[in-house]
């Protein structure tokens, strides 16, 4: 019994932390490092915007040649939204319904240089 408890304790403390550590983006959104860039998530109604910056700076990165999509999971629904470059450093897309509070938004992105990655935001 003592060995079982020791094994459970060891596995509990060895498990990696799963919580993302967000930074606050230049526009007030949640920001995470992904694919060699900083991606800032902003939502308003049905619109999802990802602003792209040089890591650890507020310097914009051109989104020309980027491809991206988000999976919005909230309540009982899931929806995939394709994002398109808009403006100097933004990717935007519109969901069919308003994005609910507490939704999980998973970003899949590929840069113009071919780097790809995924980041999960909790709204």
């Amino acid at each position: 019994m003592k060995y079982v408890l020791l094994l459970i304790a060891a596995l509990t403390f060895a498990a990696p932390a799963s919580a993302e550590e967000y930074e606050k983006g230049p526009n007030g959104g949640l920001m995470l490092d992904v694919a060699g860039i900083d991606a800032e998530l902003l939502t308003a109604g049905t619109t999802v915007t990802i602003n792209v910056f040089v890591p650890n700076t507020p310097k914009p990165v051109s989104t020309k040649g980027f491809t991206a999509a988000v999976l919005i999971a909230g309540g009982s629904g899931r929806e995939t939204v394709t994002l398109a470059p808009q403006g100097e450093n933004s990717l935007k897309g519109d969901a069919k319904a308003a994005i609910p509070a507490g939704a999980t938004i998973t970003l899949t992105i590929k840069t113009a240089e071919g780097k790809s990655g995924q980041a999960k935001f909790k709204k």
Side-chain angles (χ1 to χ4, degrees), residues 15-99:
S18 61
E20 296 283 355
E21 296 206 16
Y22 301 111
E23 298 173 36
K24 186 173 183 179
N27 301 297
L30 299 176
M31 192 160 65
L32 289 172
D33 297 330
V34 58
I37 50 99
D38 278 350
E40 177 188 29
L41 171 70
L42 298 169
T43 60
T46 61
T47 302
V48 176
T49 303
I50 299 291
N51 294 318
V52 181
F53 300 96
V54 173
N56 303 312
T57 70
K59 183 179 177 190
V61 171
S62 172
T63 54
K64 183 178 179 183
F66 277 52
T67 57
V70 292
L71 172 64
I72 303 167
S76 62
R78 291 176 167 262
E79 181 180 358
T80 301
V81 177
T82 301
L83 305 178
Q86 182 151 350
E88 181 185 345
N89 72 315
S90 296
L91 299 159
K92 283 190 177 185
D94 289 311
K96 293 176 186 166
I99 300 161

